[in-house]
Amino acid sequence: MNHKSAAAEPGAILNQLMEIARISALAEMASGIAHELNQPLGAIATFAQAGERMLNRPDPLLAPALDVFRQISQEALGAGEGIRRIRSLFEYEPTTRETCRMPDVIEELRPVLEMLALRAHGALEITATQAGLPEVPIDRLKVQHVLFALVQNAFDASVERAAEAQPRVRIAVSGDRYAVETSVFDSGAGITPQIREQLFRPFFTTKARGTGLGLASSRAIIEAHEGTIGFELQPQSGSRFWFRLPAAAN
Ligand SMILES: Nc1ncnc2c1ncn2[C@@H]1O[C@H](COP(=O)(O)OP(=O)(O)OP(=O)(O)O)[C@@H](O)[C@H]1O
Ligand SMILES: [Mg+2]
């Protein structure tokens, strides 16, 4: 392998960093699930075997078997509780909030977003924003994570159609006195009706190497800010993903 050329290509570095983030998110999730489920599943198997022995004899031991069934059901409920604990990892509580101007939050992330553009051999445009937008009280890094996930998806979708058009992604901010809305437009093929309902489900992915956590974690973050997130198809082609954050009280 030629280390020199790999180090010289910023797109390649970004690829490697994203791969590490992807693997560690998945590894953490997998070990969490294994930790919560191994113990109850082992106990259920042991109890089930014991129950089978109690019933599978000329004089079945009904009372102890009944007890074993209760144990099995308890262990299964315990496993359900474990799964709820894992799901709660997605219910993110914002802790640190600062009052920010959304265009500044985007501008600060621009160099990183430009790397996504470079990697996709595409173009990123950040449209000039209207004057007089209110500020938003946010956990800045978390909201930047959402922006990153949306722009990454936008380039992924646009690259799939790159034979027809150069990958183009545009970010725009609009709003009124109540809320600020950030939009990410892509030049992809849009979203087929079959998958529209599932996009935000954890682990839903149509990509060979996707985690399916980008949109799920984004929704958790935006909803923890009392905001909303969604998407719509654009009239010609591609889609627009947007999130809306409530304005700071003034
Ligand atoms: N802009 C988009 N255009 C078309 N489809 C999209 C777009 N954004 C997301 N999707 C669809 O939603 C799915 C889920 O997206 P999500 O970001 O949660 O996971 P992912 O992109 O597949 O994986 P990862 O974020 O780990 O790379 C994608 O696999 C893709 O099918
Ligand atoms: Mg994604």
Side-chain angles (χ1 to χ4, degrees):
M1 178 181 150
N2 186 340
H3 288 276
K4 211 169 162 202
S5 70
E9 158 82 91
I13 296 171
L14 189 63
N15 270 340
Q16 285 164 16
L17 288 177
M18 291 191 327
E19 180 73 1
I20 291 167
R22 192 182 71 82
I23 291 171
S24 38
L26 284 181
E28 201 171 307
M29 191 65 56
S31 80
I33 293 171
H35 178 81
E36 297 290 350
L37 293 190
N38 273 347
Q39 195 274 332
L41 282 181
I44 287 171
T46 308
F47 284 131
Q49 284 156 14
E52 194 182 345
R53 278 196 300 277
M54 289 168 185
L55 296 178
N56 195 16
R57 42 187 280 166
D59 55 337
L61 304 168
L62 293 182
L66 204 59
D67 196 41
V68 158
F69 271 114
R70 287 197 194 100
Q71 307 265 27
I72 289 177
S73 133
Q74 279 224 327
E75 291 294 338
L77 291 173
E81 187 49 46
I83 290 180
R84 265 189 296 285
R85 271 196 294 276
I86 293 168
R87 292 195 65 181
S88 74
L89 293 176
F90 286 96
E91 285 153 20
Y92 148 81
E93 287 287 326
T95 42
T96 48
R97 286 207 188 181
E98 9 168 0
T99 308
C100 304
R101 288 185 63 248
M102 200 56 209
D104 296 344
V105 173
I106 297 170
E107 203 49 47
E108 191 185 32
L109 197 67
R110 188 198 277 264
V112 177
L113 301 178
E114 291 287 1
M115 297 251 289
L116 289 175
L118 196 70
R119 170 176 166 266
H121 303 289
L124 172 75
E125 187 192 348
I126 301 180
T127 341
T129 41
Q130 69 191 65
L133 277 182
E135 296 184 315
V136 284
I138 56 170
D139 185 334
R140 204 179 79 249
L141 274 176
K142 296 286 182 184
V143 170
Q144 285 174 330
H145 166 86
V146 173
L147 202 60
F148 181 85
L150 295 186
V151 171
Q152 187 186 350
N153 282 347
F155 274 117
D156 285 349
S158 305
V159 162
E160 283 174 23
R161 268 189 77 235
E164 295 155 61
Q166 194 212 9
R168 295 194 74 82
V169 171
R170 183 166 68 88
I171 304 176
V173 186
S174 64
D176 50 35
R177 49 197 278 232
Y178 305 106
V180 175
E181 185 170 300
T182 305
S183 298
V184 178
F185 298 85
D186 65 58
S187 58
I191 295 149
T192 57
Q194 300 93 288
I195 68 166
R196 271 176 217 162
E197 303 290 309
Q198 307 179 63
L199 295 198
F200 288 89
R201 273 197 8 224
F203 302 115
F204 175 80
T205 180
T206 56
K207 298 170 194 171
R209 305 192 61 73
T211 64
L213 293 175
L215 289 178
S217 61
S218 295
R219 178 160 74 180
I221 290 168
I222 296 302
E223 288 182 352
H225 284 83
E226 294 90 37
T228 46
I229 183 167
F231 64 90
E232 61 179 27
L233 299 190
Q234 293 188 77
Q236 288 85 14
S237 74
S239 28
R240 172 176 82 99
F241 278 74
W242 55 265
F243 60 87
R244 221 175 137 76
L245 293 166
N250 49 20

